[in-house]
Amino acid sequence: MASRSPPLTAFGAGKVILLGEHSVVYGHPALAGPLSQGVKALGVPAKKCQLVLPSTLSRPQRAQLTAAFARAAQATGEPPVKVALEADLPLAVGLGSSAALSVACARLLLQAAGQTPTTKETARVAWEMEQEFHGTPSGVDHTTSVEERLVLYRRKPGTTVGKGRVVDSPKPLRVVVALAGERSPTKKTVGALRERQARWPERYQRLFTEIGRVASEGAEAVAAGDLEALGDAMNVNQGLLAALGLSSPPLEEMVYRLRELGALGAKLTGAGGDGGAVIGLFHEPAPAVVKLTALGVRCFSSQLAGPRAL
C-alpha cells in the first residue's frame, strides 16, 4: 500500500508600509516591510485544482477569491491539489492580507505543479491574484510579501509592475501595529482621493512628491541605522497623509497614543480612511503592547528588518 504524500505548506507574509502609501500609486517610492504574521496555505492531493473557501467570507468575497484563485491555478497549469487557508493576520485593515494570501497560494500551487517557487515565479502568479483583488494594484504589497525583506519599491509611470530594492538595516527595526476604528473600503478611500487629485492636480502632486522624498529619506535612515530619523520621517508622512484627507479621529488618536508610549514615530499604514492599522516604531515594543492590550486595543509587535536575537 502506497504511503500518502505529506501535505504541502506555504506561507505569505503580511506587510506594513512604513512610508509612502498612496503616492506609490502615482510613481513615487514607498518603503515597506514584511510582518511575521501572514497567511498559510495547506494542500493535499485531489482530483482537480480547488480551493476550500473560508466560511467567514461574504458572498462577494467568496466570488472574488474564487476568481482570483482560478487565475493562479491557470497560471500554474491547474495542478491536482485541494488548498485550504489559515491566517493569523487581521484581514482588510491595511496589512496586505490579500497579498499574503496570493503569495501563499502561488507558492503552494507552484510546488504542487512540481516547480520551484522562486521569487520571480511566485511574484508572477501572486500578481495574477492581486489584479483580481485590486484591479490596478501598485505591486508593493505582493513584492514585499515575496521578498520577506524591507524594500524600497517604485513603479514608474507607464509601467505595469514596479521594482523593489532591498534595504538592509544594521539595527533591529521593530514596530507595534494597533487597530483603530472601523476601516472604510479601500476603493472608496482611494476613489475619493483620486477625485480630489483630479480637481486640484498641482497641489496634490506636490504632496505626493514630498511623500516620495520622505520615503527615500527614510530608506537612507534605515541603512544608516538612524532610527530617530526614520521615526521623524514617519511623523512627517502622517502629516502629509492627513493633508491628503486620509486620516480620521480614531487614527489620529492612536497615532498620538503610540507616541505617548514612546514611539520614535507613528502613522497610519495602508489606505487610511475612517479607521484601520496604525504603526509605531519602537526600540522595545513589548511594554507598549502590554499597555495597549490592557486598554482593550487589538495590537501586536513585529520585527521588519535588522539583526534578530538568537
Side-chain angles (χ1 to χ4, degrees):
M1 183 175 176
S3 60
R4 295 191 63 177
S5 301
L8 298 172
T9 62
F11 177 75
K15 71 90 185 65
V16 291
I17 295 181
L18 279 172
L19 299 162
E21 49 267 275
H22 288 285
S23 65
V24 69
V25 176
Y26 296 91
H28 300 284
L31 184 65
L35 295 168
S36 51
Q37 292 79 1
V39 176
K40 181 189 288 187
L42 303 98
V44 295
K47 291 182 179 180
K48 63 177 183 177
C49 192
Q50 57 187 296
L51 175 68
V52 179
L53 292 167
S55 59
T56 54
L57 298 183
S58 65
R59 183 174 292 181
Q61 288 172 326
R62 291 166 72 89
Q64 187 179 53
L65 179 53
T66 298
F69 183 80
R71 288 178 66 155
Q74 186 174 20
T76 52
E78 300 189 358
V81 63
K82 182 162 76 172
V83 181
L85 303 169
E86 294 178 358
D88 63 356
L89 181 73
L91 305 180
V93 294
L95 300 178
S97 56
S98 69
L101 185 155
S102 299
V103 169
C105 285
R107 284 179 172 147
L108 189 133
L109 288 170
L110 286 165
Q111 288 181 60
Q115 302 177 47
T116 302
T118 61
T119 297
K120 183 178 181 179
E121 281 300 290
T122 301
R124 176 185 68 83
V125 178
W127 179 244
E128 290 292 325
M129 294 187 72
E130 277 288 87
Q131 289 180 93
E132 189 68 40
F133 287 128
H134 298 294
T136 54
S138 69
V140 64
D141 286 17
H142 86 289
T143 299
T144 306
S145 183
V146 169
E147 290 286 352
E148 288 193 51
R149 297 172 74 183
L150 191 71
V151 296
L152 185 68
Y153 178 89
R154 187 182 181 196
R155 188 185 73 188
K156 293 181 179 180
T159 60
T160 304
V161 183
K163 294 182 179 180
R165 173 173 66 82
V166 173
V167 181
D168 291 317
S169 176
K171 292 184 178 179
L173 200 61
R174 302 185 181 107
V175 296
V176 170
V177 181
L179 305 187
E182 292 296 322
R183 188 168 184 256
S184 313
T186 299
K187 286 185 178 180
K188 178 183 175 184
T189 305
V190 171
L193 174 60
R194 188 177 288 115
E195 287 179 10
R196 294 193 296 274
Q197 187 267 342
R199 188 173 181 185
W200 300 290
E202 290 186 8
R203 179 182 306 153
Y204 278 77
Q205 193 55 53
R206 288 198 302 270
L207 290 170
F208 291 139
T209 299
E210 187 57 33
I211 288 174
R213 286 176 181 159
V214 169
S216 294
E217 291 167 359
E220 291 173 4
V222 170
D226 192 345
L227 297 185
E228 285 73 19
L230 175 61
D232 187 71
M234 291 170 66
N235 289 335
V236 170
N237 196 167
Q238 173 62 24
L240 292 166
L241 291 169
L244 289 171
L246 298 166
S247 196
S248 63
L251 293 174
E252 292 289 336
E253 181 184 348
M254 188 60 69
V255 164
Y256 282 96
R257 183 176 285 184
L258 287 171
R259 291 174 187 167
E260 288 170 0
L261 290 172
L264 303 172
K267 59 180 281 293
L268 68 86
T269 186
D274 295 333
V278 175
I279 54 172
L281 178 68
F282 286 84
H283 286 302
E284 294 295 339
V289 170
V290 170
K291 290 180 180 177
L292 290 169
T293 302
L295 293 170
V297 175
R298 190 179 177 192
C299 64
F300 60 90
S301 65
S302 189
Q303 182 170 327
L304 308 182
R308 298 176 185 270
L310 297 175

